[in-house]
C-alpha cells in the first residue's frame, strides 16, 4: 500500500513537472514576433524564430505579426487646390517594427488599422489639397503618393509601425461631376462636329460652284467652237454644192430632189397637199426633170 501510494505521488509529481516544463516553453514562428508580459508588465521582446522560455503561470506571451500588413482604406472625397472634388481610393502597406510600443499604444492590428486609417485620410487631404486635379490624376501621382507615405510613416512611428508603401488605387470625380463633365465633353464634341460639317458644307458648295462655273465655261467654249466648226462646214458644203452645181446643174438638181423625196416621203406618213403639176414631182413625170408646160389659163 505504501509503495502504491508513493508511486502515485511520484507519478503525479512527474505529470506536474511535465506540465510546468511544457508551460515554460513557447515557439516563435518566422512570421511572428513575441512580447513576454509578466503580471501585466512587458519583460522582453523576442524577434528571432525558435524555441524560447518563460516563467510558467506568471509570464504571458503575446504574439505579434511580423509580416507586411494591409490597410484597406474606404474611398474618401478630397478637394484639390483648384477646388475640384475627387473621390480617392487609397491603400497602405505597413509592418510592426517595435512590438512593445505597438502593444502599449494600440495593442491589436484591428485598432492599429483604425488609427492608421484616420492618419491616412488626414495625409491624403493635406497632400492632395495642395495639388491640382491634373497633377493628382496624371502629372505628379508618383510624387504625391511618396509624400503621403512619408507623412503617414512619420506619424505611425509613434505606434511602432513602419509604413512600407501607400498607393492611390483610383482618383476620380464624383459621379454627378463625372456626368456633368461627360455631358460637357459630349456637347463640345457635338459643337466641333457641327463646325466641321458646316466647314465641309461650305467647302462643298465652293467646289460645286467652281465646278458649275467651269462646266458653263467649257460648254460655252465647246458650243462656240462647235458653231464655228459647223459654220466652216456649212461654208465648205455650200462651196462644194456651188462648185458641183456649176459643173453639172442637172445632176445637182436631181440629187437635191432625191434628198427632198427621202426627207418628205417617209414610211410613217406620206400624205402631202400639193398641186398635181407641182415642181416637186417633176422627176416622177419626166426622168430628165424638165418642167411640164403650164396649161393655158381659161378664158
Amino acid at each position: 500500500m505504501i509503495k502504491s501510494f508513493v508511486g502515485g505521488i511520484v507519478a503525479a509529481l512527474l505529470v506536474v513537472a511535465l506540465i510546468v516544463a511544457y508551460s515554460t516553453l513557447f515557439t516563435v514562428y518566422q512570421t511572428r514576433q513575441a512580447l513576454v508580459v509578466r503580471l501585466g508588465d512587458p519583460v522582453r521582446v523576442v524577434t528571432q524564430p525558435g524555441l524560447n522560455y518563460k516563467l510558467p503561470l506568471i509570464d504571458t506571451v503575446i504574439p505579434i505579426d511580423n509580416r507586411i500588413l494591409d490597410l484597406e482604406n474606404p474611398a474618401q472625397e478630397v478637394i484639390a487646390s483648384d477646388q475640384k472634388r475627387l473621390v480617392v481610393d487609397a491603400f497602405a502597406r505597413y509592418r510592426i517594427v517595435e512590438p512593445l510600443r505597438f502593444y502599449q499604444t494600440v495593442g491589436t492590428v484591428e485598432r492599429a488599422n483604425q488609427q492608421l486609417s484616420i492618419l491616412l485620410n488626414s495625409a491624403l487631404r493635406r497632400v492632395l489639397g495642395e495639388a491640382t486635379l491634373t497633377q493628382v490624376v496624371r502629372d505628379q501621382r508618383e510624387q504625391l503618393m511618396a509624400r503621403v507615405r512619408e507623412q503617414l510613416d512619420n506619424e505611425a512611428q509613434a505606434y511602432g509601425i513602419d509604413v512600407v508603401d501607400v498607393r492611390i488605387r483610383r482618383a476620380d470625380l464624383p459621379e454627378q461631376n463625372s456626368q456633368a463633365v461627360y455631358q460637357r465633353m459630349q456637347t463640345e464634341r457635338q459643337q466641333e462636329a457641327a463646325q466641321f460639317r458646316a466647314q465641309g458644307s461650305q467647302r462643298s458648295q465652293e467646289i460645286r460652284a467652281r465646278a458649275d462655273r467651269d462646266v458653263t465655261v467649257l460648254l460655252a467654249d465647246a458650243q462656240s467652237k462647235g458653231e464655228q466648226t459647223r459654220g466652216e462646214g456649212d461654208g465648205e458644203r455650200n462651196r462644194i454644192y456651188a462648185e458641183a452645181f456649176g459643173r453639172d446643174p442637172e445632176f445637182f438638181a436631181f440629187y437635191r430632189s432625191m434628198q427632198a423625196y427621202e426627207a418628205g416621203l417617209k414610211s410613217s406618213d406620206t400624205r402631202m397637199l400639193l398641186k398635181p403639176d407641182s415642181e416637186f414631182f417633176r422627176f416622177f413625170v419626166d426622168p430628165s426633170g424638165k418642167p411640164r408646160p403650164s396649161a393655158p389659163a381659161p378664158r
Side-chain angles (χ1 to χ4, degrees), residues 267-279:
S267 60
S268 60
D269 188 7
T270 60
R271 292 176 295 180
M272 291 185 181
L273 184 60
L274 298 172
K275 294 170 60 176
D277 56 352
S278 173
E279 290 293 329

Side-chain angles (χ1 to χ4, degrees), residues 294-298:
S294 58

Side-chain angles (χ1 to χ4, degrees), residues 3 38 73 78 118 122 134 150 166 184 187 232 240 267 298:
K3 291 182 178 180
R38 182 172 300 167
N73 192 48
V78 178
I118 296 173
S122 300
T134 306
E150 182 180 359
V166 173
R184 185 172 69 251
T187 302
E232 293 175 356
I240 295 174
S267 60

Side-chain angles (χ1 to χ4, degrees), residues 208-219:
R208 190 175 291 108
R210 189 182 302 111
D212 293 341
R213 184 187 61 192
D214 293 341
V215 168
T216 303
V217 173
L218 290 174
L219 288 176

Side-chain angles (χ1 to χ4, degrees), residues 32-47:
R32 301 272 181 168
Q33 49 191 338
L35 176 64
V36 181
V37 178
R38 182 172 300 167
L39 299 177
D41 295 328
V43 177
R44 60 192 173 96
V45 176
V46 181
T47 57

Side-chain angles (χ1 to χ4, degrees), residues 3 24 48 72 89 115 155 166 214 271 281:
K3 291 182 178 180
T24 59
Q48 297 298 325
E72 294 294 336
D89 183 9
Q115 190 64 31
E155 295 177 345
V166 173
D214 293 341
R271 292 176 295 180
F281 296 108

Side-chain angles (χ1 to χ4, degrees), residues 33 36 45 94 146 159 206 216 246 262 286 292:
Q33 49 191 338
V36 181
V45 176
Y94 68 94
Y159 306 103
E206 292 176 356
T216 303
E262 184 180 2
D286 187 353
R292 293 183 297 178

Side-chain angles (χ1 to χ4, degrees), residues 33-233:
Q33 49 191 338
L35 176 64
V36 181
V37 178
R38 182 172 300 167
L39 299 177
D41 295 328
V43 177
R44 60 192 173 96
V45 176
V46 181
T47 57
Q48 297 298 325
L51 191 63
N52 292 270
Y53 299 91
K54 65 181 181 65
L55 294 179
L57 306 177
I58 298 177
D59 291 347
T60 303
V61 178
I62 301 175
I64 297 176
D65 208 317
N66 194 32
R67 295 170 295 181
I68 295 178
L69 304 177
D70 298 333
L71 173 62
E72 294 294 336
N73 192 48
Q76 299 291 325
E77 187 170 302
V78 178
I79 300 177
S81 62
D82 53 359
Q83 302 304 313
K84 298 294 181 59
R85 294 182 178 272
L86 289 172
V87 177
V88 180
D89 183 9
F91 65 92
R93 300 288 184 267
Y94 68 94
R95 177 186 286 117
I96 301 171
V97 294
E98 298 183 33
L100 178 57
R101 182 176 297 182
F102 176 82
Y103 175 74
Q104 292 174 341
T105 53
V106 291
T108 62
V109 174
E110 290 76 13
R111 292 180 60 187
N113 287 339
Q114 295 176 1
Q115 190 64 31
L116 288 177
S117 180
I118 296 173
L119 297 177
L120 177 58
N121 291 334
S122 300
L124 285 172
R125 295 180 187 278
R126 287 195 301 268
V127 174
L128 301 185
E130 299 174 356
T132 63
L133 171 65
T134 306
Q135 291 173 343
V136 175
V137 175
R138 184 187 61 189
D139 294 343
Q140 298 182 8
R141 190 158 182 165
E142 293 291 336
Q143 295 88 332
L144 294 174
M145 287 190 297
R147 288 179 56 192
V148 173
R149 190 206 70 80
E150 182 180 359
Q151 293 190 15
L152 180 61
D153 183 58
N154 292 334
E155 295 177 345
Q157 295 297 326
Y159 306 103
I161 294 174
D162 180 24
V163 178
V164 178
D165 192 15
V166 173
R167 292 287 171 179
I168 297 176
R169 182 184 292 114
R170 183 175 62 91
D172 294 329
L173 294 172
E175 183 64 25
Q176 59 274 18
N177 293 5
S178 298
Q179 290 297 328
V181 170
Y182 173 75
Q183 292 177 359
R184 185 172 69 251
M185 293 175 60
Q186 186 179 20
T187 302
E188 291 175 355
R189 295 299 177 270
Q190 290 175 352
Q191 292 176 354
E192 187 176 359
Q195 183 179 1
F196 286 154
R197 290 192 186 96
Q199 293 176 354
S201 178
Q202 180 181 0
R203 183 63 177 167
S204 173
Q205 292 177 359
E206 292 176 356
I207 295 174
R208 190 175 291 108
R210 189 182 302 111
D212 293 341
R213 184 187 61 192
D214 293 341
V215 168
T216 303
V217 173
L218 290 174
L219 288 176
D221 292 341
Q223 290 176 357
S224 176
K225 291 180 180 179
E227 293 295 336
Q228 182 180 358
T229 304
R230 189 177 293 108
E232 293 175 356

